[in-house]
Amino acid sequence: MENVVPARLTDDQIRKEMDGLQGWSIVNGKLHKDFAFADFIEAFGFMARAAIHIEKMNHHPEWFNVYNKIRVELVTHDAGGITQNDVALARTLNSLEK
C-alpha cells in the first residue's frame, strides 16, 4: 500500500483552523501547545491515553515531558508543513486534556 502524503494547509486555512484549537499557536511553522497537569502521574496518564489515538492515526507528535508539563509540536514533515492530520491530532489532544 502506498503512503499518501496529506496536502499542506495554506496560511489562510491554518488561520481558520486555529479559531477552533484552544491553547494552540504556531511556533516555527508547527502547531504548538504547552500542557500542564497536577503532577507527573497525570501528565504521564495523558501521554498514555494520547498514545492510543496517536498510533491509530499513525501520526506521531514531537513531544517533550518534564514532571507535570508536556510540550507538543505538530507538523507533517513529509508535506513540509501543517496538514489536516496535525489539526485533527491537536483536536484529539485537547479532548483528552480533561
Side-chain angles (χ1 to χ4, degrees), residues 4-16:
V4 178
V5 177
R8 180 179 175 175
L9 297 178
T10 66
D11 290 343
D12 285 341
Q13 290 171 317
I14 293 169
R15 274 192 289 279
K16 287 177 186 173

Side-chain angles (χ1 to χ4, degrees), residues 65-78:
N65 165 247
V66 175
Y67 184 57
N68 69 329
K69 294 179 176 48
I70 302 169
R71 181 181 65 229
V72 179
E73 294 182 340
L74 303 174
V75 67
T76 303
H77 295 283
D78 290 348

Side-chain angles (χ1 to χ4, degrees), residues 26-89:
I26 305 294
V27 177
N28 297 323
K30 301 174 185 180
L31 288 178
H32 172 95
K33 184 170 180 177
D34 293 314
F35 292 85
F37 298 90
D39 55 30
F40 177 74
I41 295 297
E42 284 193 21
F44 191 84
F46 169 82
M47 292 177 79
R49 289 188 311 276
I52 295 165
H53 296 276
I54 289 164
E55 195 61 24
K56 285 180 186 175
M57 294 175 76
N58 193 31
H59 190 61
H60 303 88
E62 297 173 17
W63 58 5
F64 181 75
N65 165 247
V66 175
Y67 184 57
N68 69 329
K69 294 179 176 48
I70 302 169
R71 181 181 65 229
V72 179
E73 294 182 340
L74 303 174
V75 67
T76 303
H77 295 283
D78 290 348
I82 297 168
T83 68
Q84 199 59 48
N85 287 353
D86 302 302
V87 173
L89 183 49

